[in-house]
Amino acid sequence: MSEVLRNDIFRFSSELPVQQGFYRLCKFKPENPQFYLPNLLITETQLDSPLSAYFVDSVTSKVLFDAIDDGDIGIVNNGNMLRVILSRRANHNTVLVTERCNNGCLFCSQPPKTGNDDWLLNQSALAIASFSLNGVVGVSGGEPLLYGDDFLHFLDFIIENSPETALHVLTNGRNFADVRFTQRMKERSEKMRITFGIPLYSSRPSVHDYLVGSEGAFNETVRGLINAGNSGINIELRIIPTRANYNELDSIVEFAGRVFSNINQISLMGLESTGWARKNWSSIFIEHDIYSDNILSAVDSAYRSGIPLTIFNYPLCHLPERAWQFSTQSISDWKNYYPQECDTCTRKSSCAGYFSSSKGRFHQPPRPII
């Protein structure tokens, strides 16, 4: 099978181990050396002169040098491994601000941990400011809003130091059940471009709570969605079809249109076979063909509600043809691939393709498009 579209993990050589942490990656001497993160020089070959004072260290890797743009952001781990987390060549950029969460979703792609990882929020703020992208950066977890007031301070830092950057925050929305917190978030949303992607997996509390592994989560999420929407905060509502909820997709959409306000988009998300989804696959995954009509019903319900609907993470050949116009190339390039069978497909250029994690027993083969 083909490799991912863009590699994000690289090995490099260095005379001495490079300290672990976040770095601004430089191919050249920076015009303005004052950045929020230390500058790490990336070279094609070993340096033949002393390292300039503008850089805290240097690494050598022609593959890495060719793969980055000057000013990308990377994390060094294990002495000689670097992961590019913010790239100007990427189709999507996201920072992980915590691995803690108050849900335990059966399909969680980033299984939660309990340790204190506040440093991730602080370093992510510095990374976004150093990257200074005139575009959208995703903020993910875990559950970012568990930080409470500290997350508000994180936003204040972005507003002040990288005002051109828009944020898309993935959250379960439960903290918005707190009216005071929601109002303070609204104040920040008036100073920056920010959208919150909040999942609702059922219009029934028992099903939503089952899928997110937390009793009472439905009630908090619904109250949070009402508070946030009524405050004018931008919301993207997310739905992942599973064996437990595929037959109520249109009901979820109808419920959202009737109960919530300021839903700017409904996103129907294909299940990713990674994290906890792998161990729960047999109980949560359902073949795409089985619920094709349900997807079309959700599309029609969204149209009646006047809410735009977009379909993410499905190969076109796994969707009914009438749904193709709502599908988008959504999978991050560092985990996106197309098997060889896709090479001759006339729709490949507009198809989302597959998650690289689906290789092997989780792979759903392409279906020929005539």
Side-chain angles (χ1 to χ4, degrees):
M1 292 187 177
S2 306
E3 296 298 321
V4 294
L5 300 184
R6 181 182 64 86
N7 289 325
D8 66 325
I9 297 178
F10 302 87
R11 298 283 180 179
F12 61 82
S13 63
S14 178
E15 291 187 8
L16 296 172
V18 178
Q19 184 175 352
Q20 295 188 28
F22 285 58
Y23 292 92
R24 181 177 179 272
L25 308 180
C26 300
K27 301 172 77 169
F28 317 104
K29 173 184 173 181
E31 294 181 7
N32 176 10
Q34 301 302 316
F35 290 98
Y36 303 95
L37 291 176
N39 291 314
L40 181 66
L41 180 64
I42 311 300
T43 64
E44 296 181 271
T45 58
Q46 292 287 349
L47 293 175
D48 55 7
S49 59
L51 184 66
S52 165
Y54 291 112
F55 307 105
V56 296
D57 215 328
S58 68
V59 303
T60 302
S61 169
K62 184 176 187 333
V63 174
L64 175 59
F65 184 90
D66 292 340
I68 65 167
D69 287 342
D70 191 71
D72 286 352
I73 307 298
I75 302 178
V76 172
N77 292 308
N78 303 323
N80 69 336
M81 185 178 78
L82 184 147
R83 181 175 184 182
V84 179
I85 60 166
L86 295 175
S87 167
R88 285 172 174 77
R89 301 184 189 182
N91 59 351
H92 302 289
N93 281 294
T94 299
V95 292
L96 176 75
V97 299
T98 184
E99 293 186 272
R100 292 170 290 171
C101 191
N102 51 349
N103 280 350
C105 298
L106 298 182
F107 39 73
C108 180
S109 61
Q110 186 78 38
K113 298 178 182 178
T114 57
N116 187 321
D117 55 7
D118 292 3
W119 65 275
L120 281 171
L121 185 69
N122 298 329
Q123 289 294 297
S124 293
L126 298 175
I128 292 172
S130 295
F131 194 52
S132 192
L133 180 70
N134 184 9
V136 180
V137 171
V139 178
S140 183
E143 174 46 50
L145 300 193
L146 285 180
Y147 281 113
D149 287 351
D150 284 344
F151 190 79
L152 299 175
H153 301 327
F154 165 85
L155 296 182
D156 291 337
F157 183 86
I158 302 303
I159 291 168
E160 180 177 354
N161 296 285
S162 191
E164 69 282 4
T165 301
L167 298 182
H168 183 281
V169 183
L170 295 182
T171 169
N172 59 37
R174 295 173 62 176
N175 264 36
F176 285 131
D178 181 337
V179 175
R180 174 185 170 275
F181 176 81
T182 304
Q183 183 55 45
R184 297 187 70 194
M185 185 67 77
K186 168 59 178 174
E187 294 169 1
R188 273 70 178 180
S189 72
E190 293 174 342
K191 300 175 182 178
M192 67 187 307
R193 293 174 294 154
I194 185 168
T195 298
F196 294 87
I198 303 176
L200 187 69
Y201 298 129
S202 177
S203 57
R204 296 177 290 161
S206 59
V207 175
H208 180 87
D209 289 358
Y210 161 71
L211 288 171
V212 304
S214 180
E215 186 176 355
F218 176 87
N219 289 334
E220 277 197 335
T221 294
V222 167
R223 292 204 312 273
L225 282 162
I226 292 172
N227 287 344
N230 288 349
S231 299
I233 292 172
N234 295 324
I235 300 169
E236 174 213 12
L237 192 76
R238 296 189 155 205
I239 307 169
I240 296 179
T242 68
R243 187 174 295 276
N245 68 350
Y246 76 92
N247 59 356
E248 58 173 307
L249 299 182
D250 57 343
S251 297
I252 302 171
V253 173
E254 187 275 334
F255 178 78
R258 178 169 48 85
V259 175
F260 308 134
S261 58
N262 220 43
I263 304 294
N264 298 326
Q265 176 177 299
I266 292 177
S267 298
L268 201 65
M269 318 286 294
L271 191 63
E272 182 180 3
S273 55
T274 191
W276 282 350
R278 288 184 162 234
K279 70 175 183 178
N280 296 315
W281 196 252
S282 61
S283 61
I284 60 176
F285 177 75
I286 184 164
E287 291 282 351
H288 300 153
D289 289 344
I290 294 176
Y291 62 96
S292 290
D293 289 342
N294 302 91
I295 290 176
L296 294 177
S297 294
V299 167
D300 293 339
S301 184
Y303 176 80
R304 290 192 297 271
S305 299
I307 305 174
L309 182 144
T310 303
I311 299 174
F312 293 84
N313 306 344
Y314 286 84
L316 289 178
C317 60
H318 287 247
L319 291 171
E321 187 171 351
R322 186 160 70 87
W324 289 359
Q325 62 182 304
F326 303 99
S327 180
T328 186
Q329 290 184 302
S330 52
I331 301 174
S332 299
D333 48 11
W334 60 270
K335 56 181 177 180
N336 189 201
Y337 90 107
Y338 295 83
Q340 283 187 338
E341 299 97 306
C342 298
D343 289 348
T344 57
C345 180
T346 58
R347 296 282 179 172
K348 181 178 178 180
S349 62
S350 58
C351 179
Y354 290 83
F355 286 107
S356 59
S357 58
S358 71
K359 295 178 181 180
R361 67 186 181 95
F362 300 101
H363 183 62
Q364 307 296 310
R367 292 84 181 268
I369 294 177
I370 305 301

